[in-house]
Amino acid sequence: MGETVTARVLRVLAAFSADRPELALTELSRRAELPLTTTHRLVRELTQWGALERAEDGRYRVGLRLWEVGALAPRGLGLRESAMPFLEDLYEVTKQNVQLAVLDGAEVVYLERLSGRGAVKIITRIGGRLPLHATGVGLVLLAHADAELQEQVLAAPLKRYTAKTICGPDVLRRALADVRRTGVAISDGQIELITLSVAAPVRGRRGEVVAALSVVVPAETSDARAYVPVVRAAARGISRALGAPDPVSR
């Protein structure tokens, strides 16, 4: 059986990325690996519905209608609304990058990020993805994930971003055990050498870890221990707002 129309539409949408947010029709056709005539028809229908928008120069970008639908995802909507007061409080205390993320497959997806003018520059963005092994929030989520996913990540090649990135399965396994023992993850220079992340788990109604919260600060001038209490407090606050049972993990 041939490829469905739905699969082709998804290939068109997947052609867009953070580094290529706007694409000409020919680029869309090439990146989606679809004939130009097919791409033109699908793009026209997506634009009419509002999933795509056409710029003045003829290039296409993701439309607001698609963002509107995506914002209704229950894991993002209710969680983000419950978390925002605590994220804002944490930002006011630290004046650095504050992030909320969830697990999706073997990656982290960032639901929210607050950042001040004087905060250290980071590569993460709302809706962006990063691997689990190299981020503070990722280490938290992986440490509390099911054993099958943990073994899957441990068995796969671990991408190196800097000289400090955890790339050995045995080292990663010990790091995950430390996260479960201490209740926090500290990721120092793993994605970028200039950043240090302190993260803690956010729990849901059954006590399960549903998200992770982090603050990202300058690695050279920051003491991770100084941020642990405020990150834990914010994560506990969100957990209580979500109906997590007491006591939540440290």
Side-chain angles (χ1 to χ4, degrees), residues 112-162:
E112 186 56 80
R113 193 191 101 183
L114 302 180
S115 183
R117 184 177 301 173
V120 62
K121 300 298 182 183
I122 57 177
I123 64 173
T124 56
R125 61 180 179 83
I126 296 174
R129 293 172 177 265
L130 282 174
L132 295 169
H133 71 283
T135 61
V137 287
L139 290 172
V140 166
L141 293 168
L142 184 58
H144 296 282
D146 60 66
E148 183 178 354
L149 177 60
Q150 290 185 18
E151 293 305 319
Q152 175 189 330
V153 173
L154 287 162
L158 300 174
K159 181 177 178 179
R160 181 178 295 281
Y161 290 85
T162 74

Side-chain angles (χ1 to χ4, degrees), residues 17-78:
S17 63
D19 60 332
R20 301 300 295 274
E22 292 191 356
L23 296 168
L25 189 64
T26 53
E27 293 176 294
L28 267 171
S29 174
R30 185 179 68 253
R31 288 170 68 90
E33 298 181 345
L34 291 171
L36 187 59
T37 54
T38 301
T39 305
H40 183 266
R41 174 174 54 83
L42 295 175
V43 166
R44 183 179 67 248
E45 293 177 3
L46 287 167
T47 303
Q48 289 173 347
W49 185 75
L52 295 180
E53 295 175 349
R54 191 171 187 267
E56 291 184 0
D57 63 359
R59 297 164 72 84
Y60 292 89
R61 58 193 176 215
V62 174
L64 286 175
R65 187 74 181 275
L66 195 61
W67 175 85
E68 181 183 3
V69 173
L72 297 174
R75 270 211 301 163
L77 182 62

Side-chain angles (χ1 to χ4, degrees), residues 199-215:
V202 173
R203 297 180 181 270
R205 291 183 179 276
R206 298 184 302 276
E208 78 283 16
V209 173
V210 297
L213 166 75
S214 71
V215 61

